[in-house]
């Protein structure tokens, strides 16, 4: 189960393994309409050909084995699979995010094409055939740093989150991992783009290149929770700013000038936060609209 938080609204989705009791807790009454409209964000059927899906599954299955590693916190450890397979795994994720419409993540055209070439050349249906060509220019001047908080998500919620303006390196949180992808090694010494106060941890991580074993920096749950919390705070501010803007627009469309009364805004925000609807419905556009309409009706009629 997950929640998709955008400035306009928060929607949610669930998988087949979610128990009915949990669905009722989050959504209240579980209707046929709810199930029919359930859409798992980022999951697209039949996007790639069968051969491509098969080749991607080879590296995904192999990299999944690294989840069984239990390193000590605050240290660099070596991944249990081939460094090149690890490189293909992470670049395939970045490439798939970039080519998917409405993901909110986009590489530059030349970068996207470069990853596409790499994946086309090296993804195979047989793991033993996946080997880098040291003379391939596409594999030069590219690499990544990786943070992991082992098993953090076993008991804690996490994010799939990135910032569109973070390109040197591209930075993304995926569950208990934070990936920093560099398309030029010179960016290692470039301007600091502190991804939610993870810069100190990033500096402790080693730079991975395609032809060497993968190194991962293990982050304590306490430190990782600070990054998770910082992303949450960023989201709260973005949502609040969007709601402020929309309330001012409503105010102006009603023939008023300037901004909506601050007290009325605060009242609307509190009613949304305190509304008695199920969590899965609370921050949807529909629920927000109903609360805003009710509050504005009283305001107009007084």
């Amino acid at each position: 189960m997950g929640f998709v938080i955008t400035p306009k609204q928060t929607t949610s989705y669930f998988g087949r393994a979610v128990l009915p009791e949990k669905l009722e807790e989050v959504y209240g009454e579980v209707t046929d309409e709810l199930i029919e409209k359930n859409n798992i964000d980022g999951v697209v059927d039949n996007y790639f050909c069968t051969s491509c899906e098969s080749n991607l599954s080879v590296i995904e299955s192999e990299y999944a084995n690294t989840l069984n590693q239990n390193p000590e916190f605050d240290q660099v450890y070596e991944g249990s699979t081939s460094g090149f397979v690890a490189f293909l795994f992470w670049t395939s994720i970045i490439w798939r995010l970039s080519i998917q419409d409405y993901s909110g993540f986009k590489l530059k055209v030349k970068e996207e094409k470069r990853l596409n070439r790499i994946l086309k050349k090296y993804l195979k249906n047989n793991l033993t055939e996946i080997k880098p060509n040291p003379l391939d220019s596409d594999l030069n001047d590219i690499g990544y740093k990786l943070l992991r908080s082992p098993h953090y998500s076993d008991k804690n919620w996490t994010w799939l989150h990135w910032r569109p303006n973070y390109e040197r390196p591209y930075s993304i949180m995926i569950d208990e991992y934070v990936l920093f992808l560099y398309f030029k090694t010179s960016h290692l010494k470039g301007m600091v783009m502190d991804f939610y106060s993870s810069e100190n941890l990033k500096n402790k991580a080693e730079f991975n290149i395609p032809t060497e074993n993968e190194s991962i920096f293990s982050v304590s749950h306490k430190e990782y929770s600070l990054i998770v919390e910082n992303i949450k705070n960023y989201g709260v501010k973005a949502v609040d700013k969007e709601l402020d803007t929309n309330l001012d627009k409503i105010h102006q469309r009603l023939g008023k000038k300037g901004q909506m009364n601050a007290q009325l805004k605060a009242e609307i925000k509190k009613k949304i936060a305190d509304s008695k609807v199920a969590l899965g419905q609370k921050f949807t556009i529909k629920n927000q609209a109903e609360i805003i309409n009710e509050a504005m009706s009283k305001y107009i009629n007084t």
Side-chain angles (χ1 to χ4, degrees):
M1 177 176 286
F3 292 85
V4 182
I5 302 173
T6 69
K8 292 186 181 297
Q9 69 169 335
T10 298
T11 55
S12 55
Y13 58 87
F14 50 89
R16 295 177 182 176
V18 180
L19 296 174
E21 295 80 8
K22 187 64 178 179
L23 291 178
E24 290 177 2
E25 177 187 334
V26 174
Y27 296 102
E29 183 182 2
V30 180
T31 63
D32 291 338
E33 182 184 10
L34 174 68
I35 295 172
E36 288 172 5
K37 290 185 176 181
N38 178 51
N39 180 41
I40 301 179
D41 195 64
V43 176
V44 183
D45 292 329
N46 304 314
Y47 200 88
F48 300 107
C49 68
T50 303
S51 176
C52 294
E53 290 283 6
S54 177
N55 291 343
L56 286 167
S57 70
V58 170
I59 59 171
E60 290 169 350
S61 297
E62 176 64 15
Y63 197 82
N65 294 325
T66 66
L67 295 174
N68 297 322
Q69 292 182 264
N70 294 289
E72 297 293 326
F73 292 137
D74 200 32
Q75 69 172 23
V76 173
Y77 72 97
E78 190 173 291
S80 61
T81 190
S82 152
F84 189 53
V85 168
F87 169 79
L88 292 176
F89 171 77
W90 289 114
T91 52
S92 75
I93 288 177
I94 293 295
W95 178 73
R96 280 179 278 180
L97 279 172
S98 184
I99 66 170
Q100 184 176 323
D101 295 335
Y102 312 115
S103 73
F105 180 90
K106 193 67 178 174
L107 297 169
K108 294 177 181 177
V109 173
K110 64 180 181 179
E111 295 167 342
E112 189 176 286
K113 287 182 177 179
R114 183 180 182 184
L115 294 190
N116 186 30
R117 288 195 305 269
I118 290 172
L119 296 171
K120 277 188 174 181
K121 281 185 282 190
Y122 293 107
L123 286 182
K124 308 290 183 183
N125 198 33
N126 187 333
L127 188 65
T128 61
E129 296 178 6
I130 300 177
K131 296 178 181 179
N133 176 2
L135 300 178
D136 185 354
S137 61
D138 278 334
L139 299 182
N140 295 331
D141 206 28
I142 188 172
Y144 65 96
K145 289 189 174 188
L146 189 62
L147 309 178
R148 181 194 174 198
S149 188
H151 309 296
Y152 178 88
S153 57
D154 290 354
K155 295 183 179 180
N156 302 282
W157 54 270
T158 59
W159 301 99
L160 171 60
H161 177 78
W162 52 86
R163 294 280 292 275
N165 58 323
Y166 279 46
E167 300 176 349
R168 300 185 177 185
Y170 289 97
S171 307
I172 178 171
M173 174 179 280
I174 304 174
D175 198 48
E176 61 187 42
Y177 291 89
V178 178
L179 173 72
F180 305 97
L181 179 64
Y182 298 79
F183 278 90
K184 289 185 178 180
T185 54
S186 61
H187 294 165
L188 288 164
K189 297 180 180 179
M191 181 177 63
V192 172
M193 300 289 287
D194 192 356
F195 188 68
Y196 299 101
S197 301
S198 63
E199 185 67 18
N200 182 52
L201 297 170
K202 183 176 74 175
N203 289 337
K204 293 180 180 180
E206 295 183 358
F207 184 66
N208 293 294
I209 61 175
T211 55
E212 294 182 0
N213 290 336
E214 181 183 60
S215 294
I216 307 164
F217 186 76
S218 180
V219 181
S220 71
H221 289 185
K222 182 178 180 180
E223 287 185 295
Y224 202 73
S225 67
L226 295 177
I227 304 174
V228 170
E229 186 71 13
N230 286 338
I231 295 176
K232 184 196 80 172
N233 292 338
Y234 169 81
V236 169
K237 289 179 181 178
V239 169
D240 189 66
K241 182 179 179 180
E242 180 74 14
L243 183 55
D244 266 342
T245 299
N246 289 337
L247 290 175
D248 288 337
K249 287 179 179 178
I250 292 171
H251 176 76
Q252 292 158 13
R253 286 173 183 172
L254 291 172
K256 309 293 183 179
K257 295 182 179 180
Q259 300 177 333
M260 180 182 285
N261 177 273
Q263 185 175 347
L264 179 56
K265 276 186 181 178
E267 179 186 338
I268 290 171
K269 291 177 183 179
K270 187 174 188 308
K271 285 186 175 182
I272 292 172
D274 295 344
S275 58
K276 301 302 182 183
V277 299
L279 178 62
Q281 312 291 344
K282 181 174 288 192
F283 298 102
T284 61
I285 289 177
K286 180 177 182 240
N287 189 53
Q288 291 183 66
E290 290 175 353
I291 290 172
I292 292 170
N293 183 59
E294 180 184 354
M296 292 300 295
S297 295
K298 292 180 181 178
Y299 174 70
I300 293 170
N301 295 326
T302 56

